[in-house]
């Protein structure tokens, strides 16, 4: 069982920045792909970004590419999402997720299921 706890959400003006963190339990954190999804009101949950267990490979949705950066610190069992140049359309609940199969490249496929979810953290971007 893997427990995920997100932090770092909040209210920011358009053009601003936020950094989300996700702390994970478990001894084999470096073997999991980790990443983020988001869900805006009235919309389906969507892929944002993923990172392989080693941290060597990263993947982004087109809507955030060039603005968001995912990283991880395996010594701290933590994954981060640095969000810059935020837009009102980035407003959503952001969920951390873990994939024990470590297939970060498949997260953008809506048919692919990750294994564990955090409780979510709200990000609100005002115009």
């Amino acid at each position: 069982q893997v427990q995920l706890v997100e932090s770092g959400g909040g209210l920011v003006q358009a053009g601003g920045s936020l950094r989300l963190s996700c702390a994970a339990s478990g001894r084999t954190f470096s073997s999991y792909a980790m990443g983020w999804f988001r869900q805006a009101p009235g919309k389906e949950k969507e892929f944002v970004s993923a990172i392989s267990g080693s941290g060597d490979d990263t993947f982004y949705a087109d809507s955030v590419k060039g603005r968001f950066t995912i990283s991880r610190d395996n010594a701290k069992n933590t994954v981060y999402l640095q969000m810059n140049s935020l837009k009102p359309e980035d407003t959503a609940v952001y969920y951390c997720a873990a994939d024990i199969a470590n297939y970060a490249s498949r997260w953008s496929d809506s048919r692919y299921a990750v294994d564990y979810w955090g409780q979510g953290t709200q990000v609100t971007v005002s115009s």
Side-chain angles (χ1 to χ4, degrees), residues 9-120:
L11 173 64
V12 64
Q13 289 188 332
S17 298
L18 282 174
R19 188 176 82 153
L20 305 183
S21 299
C22 174
S25 65
R27 299 180 183 179
T28 57
F29 177 77
S30 62
S31 68
Y32 308 150
M34 297 291 297
W36 299 87
F37 290 78
R38 68 186 182 187
Q39 187 167 23
K43 295 188 177 182
E44 293 189 353
K45 193 175 291 183
E46 65 175 0
F47 167 73
V48 175
S49 182
I51 186 167
S52 63
S54 66
D56 290 341
D57 300 303
T58 58
F59 304 89
Y60 298 94
D62 288 343
S63 59
V64 307
K65 204 171 291 183
R67 299 188 297 122
F68 291 10
T69 302
I70 192 169
S71 62
R72 65 190 296 158
D73 185 337
N74 286 343
K76 296 182 178 180
N77 279 21
T78 302
V79 63
Y80 305 97
L81 186 68
Q82 178 66 44
M83 305 186 294
N84 298 329
S85 302
L86 282 161
K87 305 175 182 180
E89 51 263 43
D90 294 317
T91 295
V93 177
Y94 283 70
Y95 296 92
C96 178
D99 168 21
I100 59 176
N102 198 23
Y103 285 134
S105 61
R106 299 177 64 178
W107 283 37
S108 59
D109 185 340
S110 61
R111 297 166 295 179
Y112 187 75
V114 298
D115 299 293
Y116 299 101
W117 295 92
Q119 82 287 354

